[in-house]
Amino acid sequence: MLQGKKILLGVSGSIAAYKAATLVRLLVKEGADVKVVMTPSACDFITPLTLATLSKHEVPVTISDNQSWNNHVMLGRWADVMLIAPASANTLSKMANGACDNLLMATYLSATCPVLFAPAMDEDMWHHPATRNNISKLLSYGHRQLPVEKGELASGLFGEGRMAEPENIVKYLQEHFSGLTTQHIDQQQVGKTDLPLKGKKALVTAGPTQEPLDPVRYISNHSSGKMGIAIADELAAAGADVTLVLGPTGLSAGNPAVNTIRVVTAEDMFNGAAAHFTQADVIVMAAAVADYRPKHVADIKMKKGEGDALTLELEKTKDILRTLGATRTDKQVLVGFSLETNNEKEYALKKLREKNLDLVVMNSLNDKGAGFNHDTNKVTLFDKKGDARDLPLKSKLEVAQDIVTAIVDILHHNSVPLVV
Ligand code: CTP
């Protein structure tokens, strides 16, 4: 898939720069022609010689070498895609603001091809409002951000901000070239002010809910909210004005333009979603809402009784999707999720029909790498025209991009009457 593709790799100063060697090797193995440009501080982490040997091209670092000028304009025009990996917080800031104080930045500003970037930094830097703003600006230029990964960081802390693994970057590039990501939408929009969802309002529910038993305990599930958050980010990147009603999770939307309403219980989530449902053009309910809650919530901590067992009386929560879906108009696009362990397709189609949906995203806990707490997901999209799209295992961000592509498609071409 990468045979003959010209990939310009920009390496900036981050400990993750050492992974550039593996990345170049994998890209070359896939048949790509790879040229590398480094920032001077990247050379503190990996030598130009290593990357030159692996890419079989010289690796320029400064605007001029040995009295000859490194032609950043030709480099920028040569590439089919420019990938900045790792993209440090400093380089992201320079890209967002057009600073041009090294060869990598001059090349970036000269690039006429699509630009992808794989951020790498410590978690607090990643969540800093300045970084969020820079990312938001870069997305508004039509660039694509590869998802950061969660894990051990150079600081010794554990969290978000690790550069995507080289294998995942290669997969992302393959999808980029096969047009499977929403990149093609963005590229059509480069230079235009109207993104595909500009002027549209979107509502997303995500994460688990917690249903209290007493001030100490609650009933909940394993949802991390990652999938729904990725969808909210992608809808915002496509130009929508997004409200995210988010259950209890430590994660946040990456795109600062997303308006997040944090809730705890299914009841709170219903109220948050109901307040924005009517105005929304696109609604995606990705939350793993508790179907039942304790009928009685104790004001003070429940003490162990004498017996060996405890029976809890539960009552049904409101089905947010079903209740609000019943009031939808045919101008709205309504998307639901279906996570099952058995009879997956049958149950997914039942939800599509009974909850009045345009699209149902089915995933199965039987698929490796799918479902709760993974950075990846494997889904099938069923629409109400009867079409099914089986997607391979991808990062949740890529799945979110496919879902947003499908939504844009429905919004622009959907003339199928509602199934009630
Ligand atoms: N949903 C919701 N409110 C609920 C329960 C589910 O909005 N109280 C939404 C989810 O966000 C998801 C879809 O409905 O989009 C899941 O459908 P559902 O039939 O509720 O799935 P399960 O609860 O997994 O199904 P069941 O309990 O019937 O196995």
Side-chain angles (χ1 to χ4, degrees), residues 205-207 209 266 269-270 273 284-292 316-324 335-340 347 350-351 354-355 357 359-361:
T205 66
T209 64
M269 189 172 275
F270 177 84
V284 182
M285 298 222 176
V289 188
D291 288 326
Y292 293 89
K316 254 202 181 134
T317 58
K318 260 188 224 137
D319 188 323
I320 306 169
L321 183 53
R322 188 186 292 268
T323 313
L324 296 179
V335 181
F337 270 70
S338 181
L339 173 68
E340 299 287 352
Y347 288 137
K350 191 163 176 266
K351 282 172 216 182
E354 293 182 353
K355 296 198 180 191
L357 311 179
L359 193 73
V360 66
V361 182

Side-chain angles (χ1 to χ4, degrees), residues 210-220 264-265 294 296-305 310 312:
Q210 291 175 357
E211 309 303 328
L213 262 168
D214 68 11
V216 181
R217 306 170 179 100
Y218 56 80
I219 295 176
S220 190
V264 176
T265 63
H296 306 286
V297 182
D299 291 337
I300 51 172
K301 188 182 163 205
M302 288 162 59
K303 300 301 287 176
K304 277 192 290 294
L310 171 72
L312 290 175

Side-chain angles (χ1 to χ4, degrees), residues 204-243:
V204 180
T205 66
T209 64
Q210 291 175 357
E211 309 303 328
L213 262 168
D214 68 11
V216 181
R217 306 170 179 100
Y218 56 80
I219 295 176
S220 190
N221 57 61
H222 293 297
S223 170
S224 62
K226 269 184 201 156
M227 191 64 251
I229 290 173
I231 292 170
D233 280 338
E234 280 307 307
L235 287 167
D241 178 2
V242 184
T243 299

